Amino acid sequence: MARSKGERGWPAPPEPLPVAVVDNHTHLDSVVTWRADCWHRDDDGTAADGPAADLAAHLERAASVGVTRMVQVGCDYESIAWTDRVVQDHPQLLGAVAIHPNEAVRHAGIVEVAPDGLEPEEPHEVGLADAIDVVERAARDNPRIRAIGETGLDHFRAGPAGRAVQREAFRAHIALAKELGLALQIHDRDAHDEVVDVLLADGAPDRTVFHCFSGDASLARLAVSHGWYLSFAGPVSFGANDELRAALREVPPSQLLVETDAPYLTVHPFRGRPNAPYLLPGTVRTVAEVTGRPLEDVCAALAATSEAVYGTW
């Protein structure tokens, strides 16, 4: 049975948080390409007709519920330029830039079937070295870009040749973050051990963040022991994710962050509907419930940790 328009639309804003927090990983360039009143695609796969959601409106809606600051992540060739520009125009935003591991495969010209079983996408015309040069220029020249990311390994979306390329791109991004003194945001999908191996072999930047942490309690304890930061998104609220909630309990407030990863990974009970920074309070409240800490204390700690990683806005 098809879902109704109401079930596809943007969820209503949640109750405001008692203390303002930071969404430390969001893709606003993707959020604003969806119309604000209906999240769906037409039968031919194209976006539904209608005006794109307005960035200023999204920022205002987020602020109204206590999400006053965000880290906008540009992790493909086109979104890097968008991020570079928009963080200079909006004081609520800082930026992170990188070539996503799956994009690195395409920039390297690799065409192979991965474990996801999907038809491989066409390679990009721009080579990988040139793409990483774009990341470096944006990060070096714009003081409002405070992180390199998301970068890392995605073994679900890459075969053997692609994984080798991802590893080299990951190492290049690590080196760049260290050279520029920036934080590092990691994408880790089905590659926990390999990501840790690279970080330990090359030396992780001082401020290393596991974006949308997906590991278990053991990985959380390892990350905490190395001083790395763990960022939790909507999946921590999903009913089946008891292991992820166990991992959350291993993280001290000084190493804990939250994010939306919008427009993806919408918090329960809105899974499958559009995500945006204004829905972050649902994840924050889940963190408070799982850790047994007062909501106000959780919010204050999240804000402080965000500034420890990215600096002031």
Side-chain angles (χ1 to χ4, degrees), residues 145-287:
I145 291 178
R146 304 283 179 81
I148 300 298
E150 59 192 274
T151 179
L153 303 175
D154 190 323
H155 283 185
F156 184 63
R157 299 286 189 198
R163 292 179 186 186
V165 166
Q166 288 184 351
R167 189 180 184 95
E168 290 310 307
F170 185 24
R171 297 184 66 207
H173 284 89
I174 290 172
L176 180 60
K178 291 163 67 175
E179 177 187 348
L180 300 180
L182 299 177
L184 182 76
Q185 288 197 357
I186 292 175
H187 174 99
D188 168 18
R189 186 171 187 182
D190 294 351
H192 302 321
D193 292 343
E194 292 80 3
V195 165
V196 171
D197 286 346
V198 173
L199 290 174
L200 295 181
D202 285 27
D206 290 338
R207 291 160 292 140
T208 291
V209 179
F210 277 72
H211 137 67
C212 193
F213 183 78
S214 60
D216 58 13
S218 176
L219 180 59
R221 287 191 294 270
L222 175 66
V224 167
S225 73
H226 287 287
W228 303 332
Y229 297 82
L230 284 69
S231 179
F232 288 80
V236 76
S237 70
F238 298 169
N241 285 348
D242 289 336
E243 285 193 2
L244 189 56
R245 287 184 283 275
L248 170 60
R249 296 186 187 100
E250 299 290 335
V251 186
S254 61
Q255 289 171 259
L256 178 63
L257 297 165
V258 289
E259 63 177 90
T260 56
D261 197 23
Y264 317 107
L265 302 180
T266 312
V267 67
H268 177 79
F270 307 117
R271 188 175 184 180
R273 294 171 68 179
N275 199 8
Y278 79 94
L279 293 173
L280 185 64
T283 300
V284 177
R285 288 188 166 90
T286 298
V287 169

Side-chain angles (χ1 to χ4, degrees), residues 12-276:
E15 181 181 349
L17 294 169
V19 176
V21 299
V22 173
D23 181 351
N24 100 113
H25 189 109
T26 187
H27 301 274
L28 290 166
D29 52 306
S30 294
V31 170
V32 299
T33 63
W34 295 94
R35 54 186 289 185
D37 63 337
C38 187
W39 171 270
H40 74 286
R41 292 181 180 273
D42 291 332
D43 291 340
D44 64 358
T46 60
D49 292 337
D54 180 73
L55 175 59
H58 273 294
L59 297 178
E60 181 179 352
R61 178 176 286 189
S64 73
V65 297
V67 184
T68 56
R69 296 171 292 173
M70 296 141 235
V71 178
Q72 155 60 26
V73 180
C75 55
D76 61 47
Y77 194 75
E78 291 76 19
S79 66
I80 290 169
W82 192 91
T83 300
D84 190 15
R85 180 180 71 256
V86 78
V87 299
Q88 298 180 71
D89 296 336
H90 297 276
Q92 306 96 318
L93 304 178
L94 294 178
V97 292
I99 299 299
H100 189 284
N102 298 330
E103 290 292 297
V105 173
R106 298 179 66 191
H107 282 290
I110 303 297
V111 179
E112 63 181 348
V113 176
D116 62 11
L118 299 177
E119 186 71 22
E121 296 185 273
E122 292 295 320
H124 291 306
E125 293 183 3
V126 176
L128 181 57
D130 289 338
I132 294 177
D133 282 347
V134 171
V135 174
E136 179 177 357
R137 287 198 296 273
R140 191 180 295 278
D141 295 343
N142 186 345
R144 294 192 62 78
I145 291 178
R146 304 283 179 81
I148 300 298
E150 59 192 274
T151 179
L153 303 175
D154 190 323
H155 283 185
F156 184 63
R157 299 286 189 198
R163 292 179 186 186
V165 166
Q166 288 184 351
R167 189 180 184 95
E168 290 310 307
F170 185 24
R171 297 184 66 207
H173 284 89
I174 290 172
L176 180 60
K178 291 163 67 175
E179 177 187 348
L180 300 180
L182 299 177
L184 182 76
Q185 288 197 357
I186 292 175
H187 174 99
D188 168 18
R189 186 171 187 182
D190 294 351
H192 302 321
D193 292 343
E194 292 80 3
V195 165
V196 171
D197 286 346
V198 173
L199 290 174
L200 295 181
D202 285 27
D206 290 338
R207 291 160 292 140
T208 291
V209 179
F210 277 72
H211 137 67
C212 193
F213 183 78
S214 60
D216 58 13
S218 176
L219 180 59
R221 287 191 294 270
L222 175 66
V224 167
S225 73
H226 287 287
W228 303 332
Y229 297 82
L230 284 69
S231 179
F232 288 80
V236 76
S237 70
F238 298 169
N241 285 348
D242 289 336
E243 285 193 2
L244 189 56
R245 287 184 283 275
L248 170 60
R249 296 186 187 100
E250 299 290 335
V251 186
S254 61
Q255 289 171 259
L256 178 63
L257 297 165
V258 289
E259 63 177 90
T260 56
D261 197 23
Y264 317 107
L265 302 180
T266 312
V267 67
H268 177 79
F270 307 117
R271 188 175 184 180
R273 294 171 68 179
N275 199 8

